[in-house]
Amino acid sequence: MKRTLSLDAYLIGEAGGSELLHAVAAAVRSLVAAAGPIAERIARGALGGDLARVRSQGLSGGGDEQKELDVLAHGACVKSLREAPVAYVLSEEQELPLTLDAAAPLAVAIDPLDGSSNINANVSIGTLFSILPALSGVEPATHSFLQTGSVQLAAGFIVYGPQVSLALSLGAGTSLFVMDPHSGQFIQIAHKLRLPARTAEFAINASNQRHWDASIRAYVDDCIRGDSGPRGQNFNMRWVGSMVADAWRILMRGGVYLYPGDQREGYAHGRLRLIYEANPIAMLMEQAGGAATDGVQRILERKPQTLHQHTPLVFGSADEVARVGRYGTEPGHDAERSPLFRTRGLLRA
Ligand code: F6P
């Protein structure tokens, strides 16, 4: 008989005898409880009103345009987190952290709605979360979120797509769950998942190619050359425009995602936010045997300086993430290239 493990049973097992992990489990349950109604609203599409309607320009904490669904998802997550032992919530939708119960042990950072440009496009979007230990002392709310990602107690994301699904790690591997549409319960579909170290699939917004630095152009150029280039193999390119969807695909079959810094105004450090986007993805990837860097440094070692700071982000299959790093750090990024290709890059400046 097929083994089915509910999210609830999984959380109880992972928490074991740890009071802190039981608190983490309660926070995860709260976020998942918010996901049901959010998924329902998304599934109704235009029948439920215009979820992509712009509510305000540049007023979210992250500085992005705020859409109807961003606001709705933020409200649903915060409301639900009030039921959990959470001291502070940092949301992409608000400049400063909210205090829920200062005596509680957890700080939760969320991007309530990732992939906002895909609202109304009937394409997967999602909610990202990072659960940290709350700190006491001076300005505890802000300081709780300015910790390195390596101290995360749990991380995950929910995808609202053809399946409503959850990727989750409490620090002992990464598990995947799918919501059973009949019962509304999340059921485990992969336990202690392992990402293939190598891949032939990359994800990047290639329309930014002219803004990239030479190392990213060289890397993508070499992938595109396929089996007649220095890599000696063909590559496939995928870009959903919702990081959660690209990340889910990478967890399922490997691959590499890149959002580097580039020369556009405001993109020097890429587009993704360190605390509530890069950190949870990095924990999930590493816990699945993958990797996540800013091109050079492990994301989980980076100490955030500000609440909504951006970071370049490369994640996925470990060998490929390391290779992207070598293009950036080794002189002339020639290490990966045969002499034949050193001077003939089609896309080279
Ligand atoms: O803001 C985050 C995000 O929407 C990611 O989900 C996605 O991968 C990326 O930005 C898309 O960026 P762009 O529209 O520049 O391709």
Side-chain angles (χ1 to χ4, degrees):
M1 207 176 80
K2 203 163 169 264
R3 177 175 159 268
T4 54
L5 184 69
S6 69
L7 174 63
D8 209 42
Y10 170 82
L11 288 171
I12 291 167
E14 290 291 293
S18 159
E19 209 177 306
L20 187 58
L21 284 183
H22 277 285
V24 169
V28 172
R29 278 189 204 98
S30 284
L31 288 158
V32 166
I38 297 172
E40 248 174 61
R41 279 300 298 268
I42 293 168
R44 294 195 69 217
L47 302 178
D50 183 5
L51 294 176
R53 184 175 71 92
V54 175
R55 291 272 298 252
S56 57
Q57 297 280 353
L59 287 185
S60 73
D64 285 350
E65 198 175 68
Q66 238 177 359
K67 297 181 175 157
E68 188 73 22
L69 188 58
D70 289 316
V71 177
L72 192 146
H74 165 84
C77 291
V78 171
K79 182 167 178 246
S80 197
L81 284 169
R82 287 187 192 279
E83 308 300 318
V86 174
Y88 312 112
V89 179
L90 172 68
S91 166
E92 203 232 315
E93 301 308 322
Q94 280 191 332
E95 194 184 340
L96 295 172
L98 283 168
T99 299
L100 303 188
D101 169 8
L106 304 176
V108 181
I110 53 174
D111 179 358
L113 210 277
D114 173 65
S116 316
S117 64
N118 281 321
I119 299 172
N120 282 1
N122 203 5
V123 170
S124 298
I125 47 186
T127 297
L128 287 145
F129 58 87
S130 159
I131 304 181
L132 298 151
L135 299 180
S136 53
V138 191
E139 269 199 272
T142 297
H143 281 294
S144 295
F145 294 106
L146 298 182
Q147 306 184 76
T148 56
S150 57
V151 307
Q152 288 174 106
L153 298 167
F157 63 82
I158 295 153
V159 185
Y160 313 110
Q163 308 146 18
V164 178
S165 50
L166 166 72
L168 178 67
S169 178
L170 270 69
T174 292
S175 277
L176 302 181
F177 300 81
V178 169
M179 191 178 88
D180 176 346
H182 298 296
S183 65
Q185 273 212 13
F186 280 80
I187 306 295
Q188 193 181 50
I189 58 155
H191 178 59
K192 291 197 191 292
L193 171 86
R194 297 314 286 169
L195 272 189
R198 305 185 63 182
T199 182
E201 203 158 69
F202 67 100
I204 192 165
N205 184 339
S207 68
N208 296 322
Q209 183 246 331
R210 69 191 183 285
H211 305 294
W212 299 333
D213 73 19
S215 68
I216 298 295
R217 270 186 281 153
Y219 170 75
V220 173
D221 186 8
D222 287 352
C223 292
I224 289 172
R225 285 166 174 274
D227 60 8
S228 54
R231 299 291 302 270
Q233 69 173 103
N234 291 326
F235 281 80
N236 189 23
M237 190 181 86
R238 287 283 179 270
W239 182 252
V240 180
S242 294
M243 184 176 62
V244 288
D246 282 311
W248 183 270
R249 185 191 61 251
I250 288 170
L251 287 171
M252 293 299 284
R253 64 181 195 217
V256 65
Y257 169 107
L258 302 95
Y259 210 120
D262 65 48
Q263 285 161 13
R264 285 172 297 161
E265 199 183 333
Y267 281 81
H269 303 285
R271 177 173 180 135
L272 282 308
R273 303 338 185 288
L274 176 57
I275 295 177
Y276 42 78
E277 294 182 308
N279 272 343
I281 291 288
M283 180 171 181
L284 290 162
M285 292 295 151
E286 288 200 2
Q287 287 292 321
T293 70
D294 61 5
V296 181
Q297 192 183 9
R298 265 178 81 217
I299 289 290
L300 295 182
E301 285 171 2
R302 293 199 47 194
K303 171 102 173 73
Q305 303 299 313
T306 57
L307 292 171
H308 298 280
Q309 89 183 55
H310 289 219
T311 180
L313 181 59
V314 181
F315 69 79
S317 294
D319 287 2
E320 203 62 20
V321 173
R323 188 185 293 268
V324 173
R326 292 198 294 275
Y327 273 76
T329 52
E330 294 184 358
H333 40 80
D334 280 354
E336 309 296 332
R337 307 171 66 75
S338 71
L340 190 63
F341 290 94
R342 278 186 188 152
T343 54
R344 300 202 311 185
L346 279 181
L347 305 174
R348 206 62 41 75

